[in-house]
Amino acid sequence: MKTNHCKIVDCTIRDGGLVNNWDFSVDFVQQLYAGLNEAGVDYMEIGYKNSPKLLKGAEEAGPWRFLNDDFLRKVIPQKGNTKLSALVDVGRVDENDILPRSESMLDLIRVACYSKDVDKALALVQTFHDRGYETTLNIMALSNVMENELLEAFELIKESAVDVVYIVDSYGSLDHNDVKYLVEKFKTHLPNKRLGVHTHNNMQLAFSNTLVAAELGVELLDASVYGMGRAAGNCPTELLVAHLKGTKYNLRPVLGVLEQLMVPLREKEEWGYILPYMITGTLDEHPRSAMALRSSEDKDKVVDFYDKLTTPEVNFDK
Amino acid sequence: MKTNHCKIVDCTIRDGGLVNNWDFSVDFVQQLYAGLNEAGVDYMEIGYKNSPKLLKGAEEAGPWRFLNDDFLRKVIPQKGNTKLSALVDVGRVDENDILPRSESMLDLIRVACYSKDVDKALALVQTFHDRGYETTLNIMALSNVMENELLEAFELIKESAVDVVYIVDSYGSLDHNDVKYLVEKFKTHLPNKRLGVHTHNNMQLAFSNTLVAAELGVELLDASVYGMGRAAGNCPTELLVAHLKGTKYNLRPVLGVLEQLMVPLREKEEWGYILPYMITGTLDEHPRSAMALRSSEDKDKVVDFYDKLTTPEVNFDK
């Protein structure tokens, strides 16, 4: 099945920053950009464009958490074909920080929100659209959204300026049947919008689900090199580059990035198929409980962890 | 889609033994059996039933490489519902070693072969069948078999006594479309046989491919706890136990096995999604070159490795 309509959005710095508090050196990011550009990857999401004024703990984070255009111009003095993207969260972005696209290094601004905030997210999208950016809307935690709420969101999205609407498997709990179901639903209700997909690898299904979405016509495919991303991580960029049919991606530069940057980094930082994340994925839950466990002395006590999450009287949340 | 016709065949000891030369203690195997039995896993493949007389290096391997019935009776004095299986290779098994099933701990004997040896494999199958065992035929390296050879094999298999015929993704190079294609082909040509699937995880597709096969009617699903198996390893048992629909598997005892046995073992032994295995999977090749690389000082030099495998004048094999 053809997948040559697809574009890869590499999220290593943005989603990977959730692992190491965006502690990537400028040299690291420059090497990554060069490798992705040589590989033919379409977009590099180089961080968040939230405002440090609107977030706690901002002073400890690396510069990729609060991208600044002057800084970015120094990091990437010579842009290649790989476009640059930034993510913003509803309620955490100051619109005054966003230059017109003609004065910015960024090409794409993506707005992440929960389904209840789609109206606010679309207002931001309109602003960025008016300033000349490509835009996406990334509705998170779809596996926990009721149908009626989603249908209401579709009504707003259909009439909006947004270019691409994302299916986001925040908890890594979807399988290929779920992906098919969601893609068909989005295609039916949003026939005038292009689609994207962002997966997590809690059940080792991130790559497979992304391929299934691609074959069904989804265009923007999120990935990260070596799967680096929060908790179980994402669809590995190297697998998409190697396997999308009829595309002109080149695996070798991605292998260079893996060898030089990512394998050494994985020695220091943790992400991927790790059992507590498998458990939260299986239970269709946010990985925060598993992340807390992995930071504790009991990090490998998976039976106790499973018992806590599955005992109703303990887990009041369920 | 229903998958409650499926049975799990846990291959941790047999395929995992290819990682650690079958260096599992009796206590380890007993704990694993107890956990799998409590979890409701249908079969445990407890090793190979090849003959040490027919193999080099036999004296260094653990006892699970050359299963002996007297020994097995001591290991599993009290059998539960989980049946026991052993694998044999064509040309490496002495038929005189195989007791009648009524005198053996084993329930299932599986015969692995390349497609050119299907006739010899089926002769062994007939012997084991006559001695009362359930039997399977596991045709390896299907991704490198030409259609005409496969069709000839089907003619022999159709008339044989074998109960289950396996689709084996030896190189971890198949995606969900390939699995669909093969399952449909096997179903068309072998309507009187049940099917099985054995996957490898080179491209993080082992679980996904197994789920796809299960939904298409494949009955016997090979897996191993934490995916332990040669090179990139197999479909993780814990994921099947957690996700097969309409079955009565219990995840908790598998988590116990993971916590007590497999996570500590993974600290000492290596298997899983490791880049050289991803590369051989992508190139549809046997992982032996990648296994050699991982045993060398250059184990993380993936760009050179990729160049060697993809440069025709270096790789005469291509």
Side-chain angles (χ1 to χ4, degrees):
Chain A
M1 303 189 197
K2 285 192 180 173
T3 49
N4 56 1
H5 59 281
C6 293
K7 294 180 168 61
I8 297 176
V9 181
D10 184 89
C11 301
T12 309
I13 299 301
R14 200 271 308 160
D15 206 322
L18 291 162
V19 175
N20 69 348
N21 204 20
W22 297 273
D23 182 19
F24 300 103
S25 71
V26 168
D27 189 54
F28 185 106
V29 174
Q30 287 174 328
Q31 279 190 63
L32 178 62
Y33 182 80
L36 293 174
N37 187 56
E38 199 185 337
V41 169
D42 306 275
Y43 293 88
M44 171 171 169
E45 189 156 86
I46 196 163
Y48 280 94
K49 184 105 184 101
N50 288 329
S51 167
K53 292 167 279 179
L54 301 172
L55 267 168
K56 285 184 201 161
E59 54 287 343
E60 289 143 34
W64 323 102
R65 192 174 184 191
F66 307 103
L67 291 171
N68 170 293
D69 277 281
D70 290 335
F71 173 71
L72 263 189
R73 264 183 285 273
K74 287 176 203 151
V75 176
I76 315 274
Q78 190 85 41
K79 229 165 110 174
N81 290 322
T82 300
K83 294 179 175 178
L84 292 178
S85 160
L87 191 71
V88 303
D89 291 311
V90 167
R92 294 179 177 177
V93 58
D94 181 346
E95 292 177 34
N96 300 318
D97 289 347
I98 313 283
L99 296 175
R101 180 176 175 182
S102 56
E103 299 168 30
S104 169
M105 294 289 287
L106 298 172
D107 303 283
L108 168 65
I109 299 188
R110 313 204 299 169
V111 181
C113 70
Y114 289 102
S115 69
K116 66 178 175 51
D117 289 327
V118 161
D119 53 343
K120 291 174 199 149
L122 289 175
L124 282 174
V125 160
Q126 186 66 52
T127 303
F128 304 142
H129 176 80
D130 291 344
R131 291 184 195 171
Y133 294 97
E134 302 172 41
T135 57
T136 80
L137 177 72
N138 298 28
I139 312 174
M140 298 183 289
L142 278 177
S143 60
N144 282 198
V145 176
M146 272 176 42
E147 183 87 2
N148 57 343
E149 200 169 320
L150 197 55
L151 293 176
E152 278 179 35
F154 286 150
E155 289 303 313
L156 299 173
I157 295 166
K158 211 162 45 184
E159 308 299 327
S160 77
V162 76
D163 297 310
V164 178
V165 184
Y166 262 78
I167 294 164
V168 183
D169 179 17
S170 297
Y171 303 158
S173 61
L174 304 182
D175 71 13
H176 63 113
N177 294 314
D178 301 320
V179 170
K180 266 181 214 153
Y181 174 81
L182 285 172
V183 173
E184 295 305 344
K185 180 166 293 290
F186 275 59
K187 279 163 82 169
T188 303
H189 290 277
L190 301 171
N192 61 335
K193 298 298 178 188
R194 295 152 60 205
L195 299 181
V197 69
H198 181 93
T199 57
H200 281 278
N201 210 22
N202 303 60
M203 310 197 302
Q204 299 192 0
L205 293 175
F207 174 49
S208 162
N209 285 344
T210 303
L211 274 190
V212 168
E215 291 174 4
L216 292 170
V218 171
E219 275 186 57
L220 261 58
L221 310 179
D222 282 16
S224 57
V225 187
Y226 220 28
M228 186 184 188
R230 191 194 60 192
N234 307 120
C235 171
T237 301
E238 63 271 21
L239 290 174
L240 284 184
V241 164
H243 295 283
L244 288 178
K245 307 286 186 199
T247 55
K248 289 181 179 162
Y249 297 116
N250 184 4
L251 177 60
R252 195 176 183 279
V254 184
L255 293 175
V257 166
L258 283 158
E259 183 175 323
Q260 296 298 319
L261 305 179
M262 301 310 295
V263 171
L265 183 57
R266 184 62 183 77
E267 301 285 315
K268 292 185 285 181
E269 303 285 350
E270 174 179 291
W271 68 86
Y273 180 72
I274 295 165
L275 293 171
Y277 304 138
M278 182 277 282
I279 292 171
T280 59
T282 292
L283 298 175
D284 191 17
E285 286 194 11
H286 193 285
R288 67 174 71 84
S289 57
M291 292 162 71
L293 185 79
R294 292 302 294 174
S295 303
S296 77
E297 282 185 4
D298 295 332
K299 65 181 189 165
D300 289 317
K301 295 258 160 53
V302 291
V303 175
D304 278 356
F305 179 68
Y306 180 72
D307 285 347
K308 274 183 198 149
L309 292 188
T310 53
T311 306
E313 60 269 33
V314 173
N315 186 8
F316 295 102
D317 201 38
K318 296 295 280 188
Chain B
M1 303 189 198
K2 284 192 181 173
T3 48
N4 56 1
H5 59 282
C6 294
K7 293 181 170 59
I8 298 176
V9 181
D10 184 90
C11 300
T12 309
I13 300 301
R14 201 270 309 160
D15 207 321
L18 292 160
V19 174
N20 69 347
N21 205 20
W22 297 275
D23 182 19
F24 300 104
S25 70
V26 168
D27 188 54
F28 185 106
V29 175
Q30 288 174 329
Q31 280 190 61
L32 178 62
Y33 182 80
L36 294 173
N37 187 56
E38 200 186 334
V41 169
D42 306 275
Y43 294 86
M44 169 172 171
E45 190 156 86
I46 195 161
Y48 280 94
K49 184 103 185 105
N50 288 331
S51 167
K53 290 167 280 180
L54 301 172
L55 267 167
K56 285 183 201 162
E59 54 287 345
E60 290 143 33
W64 323 102
R65 192 175 183 191
F66 307 104
L67 291 172
N68 170 293
D69 277 281
D70 290 335
F71 172 70
L72 265 189
R73 264 183 287 274
K74 286 176 203 151
V75 175
I76 315 274
Q78 190 85 44
K79 230 166 110 177
N81 290 323
T82 300
K83 293 178 176 179
L84 293 177
S85 160
L87 190 72
V88 303
D89 291 311
V90 167
R92 294 179 176 177
V93 57
D94 181 346
E95 292 177 33
N96 299 317
D97 289 347
I98 313 285
L99 297 174
R101 179 175 176 184
S102 55
E103 299 168 29
S104 169
M105 294 290 288
L106 299 172
D107 304 282
L108 168 65
I109 300 187
R110 313 204 298 169
V111 181
C113 70
Y114 290 103
S115 69
K116 67 178 174 53
D117 289 327
V118 160
D119 53 344
K120 292 173 198 149
L122 290 174
L124 281 173
V125 160
Q126 185 67 51
T127 304
F128 304 143
H129 176 80
D130 291 344
R131 290 184 194 170
Y133 294 97
E134 302 174 41
T135 58
T136 79
L137 176 73
N138 297 30
I139 312 175
M140 299 183 289
L142 277 177
S143 60
N144 284 17
V145 175
M146 272 175 45
E147 183 89 0
N148 57 342
E149 200 168 318
L150 197 56
L151 293 176
E152 278 179 36
F154 285 151
E155 289 303 312
L156 298 173
I157 295 166
K158 210 160 48 181
E159 308 300 326
S160 77
V162 76
D163 297 311
V164 177
V165 184
Y166 262 79
I167 294 165
V168 182
D169 179 18
S170 296
Y171 304 157
S173 61
L174 305 182
D175 71 14
H176 62 113
N177 294 313
D178 302 319
V179 169
K180 265 182 213 151
Y181 174 81
L182 286 171
V183 173
E184 296 304 345
K185 182 167 291 292
F186 275 59
K187 279 163 82 168
T188 303
H189 291 277
L190 301 171
N192 60 335
K193 297 298 180 190
R194 295 151 60 203
L195 300 180
V197 69
H198 181 94
T199 58
H200 281 279
N201 209 24
N202 302 61
M203 309 195 305
Q204 300 192 1
L205 293 175
F207 174 50
S208 163
N209 285 343
T210 304
L211 273 191
V212 167
E215 290 174 6
L216 292 170
V218 171
E219 275 186 56
L220 260 59
L221 310 179
D222 281 17
S224 56
V225 187
Y226 221 28
M228 186 185 189
R230 190 194 61 191
N234 307 119
C235 171
T237 301
E238 63 271 20
L239 290 174
L240 284 183
V241 163
H243 294 285
L244 289 177
K245 308 286 187 200
T247 55
K248 290 181 180 163
Y249 296 116
N250 183 3
L251 177 60
R252 195 176 183 278
V254 184
L255 293 175
V257 166
L258 283 157
E259 182 175 322
Q260 295 299 318
L261 306 178
M262 301 310 295
V263 172
L265 182 58
R266 183 64 184 74
E267 300 286 315
K268 291 186 285 181
E269 303 284 350
E270 175 179 289
W271 68 86
Y273 180 73
I274 295 164
L275 293 171
Y277 304 137
M278 183 278 280
I279 292 171
T280 59
T282 291
L283 298 175
D284 190 17
E285 287 194 11
H286 193 286
R288 67 174 72 83
S289 57
M291 292 161 71
L293 185 78
R294 292 302 295 174
S295 303
S296 78
E297 281 184 4
D298 294 333
K299 65 181 190 165
D300 289 317
K301 296 260 160 52
V302 291
V303 176
D304 279 357
F305 178 69
Y306 180 73
D307 285 347
K308 275 182 197 149
L309 292 188
T310 54
T311 306
E313 60 269 32
V314 173
N315 187 7
F316 295 103
D317 200 39
K318 298 295 282 186

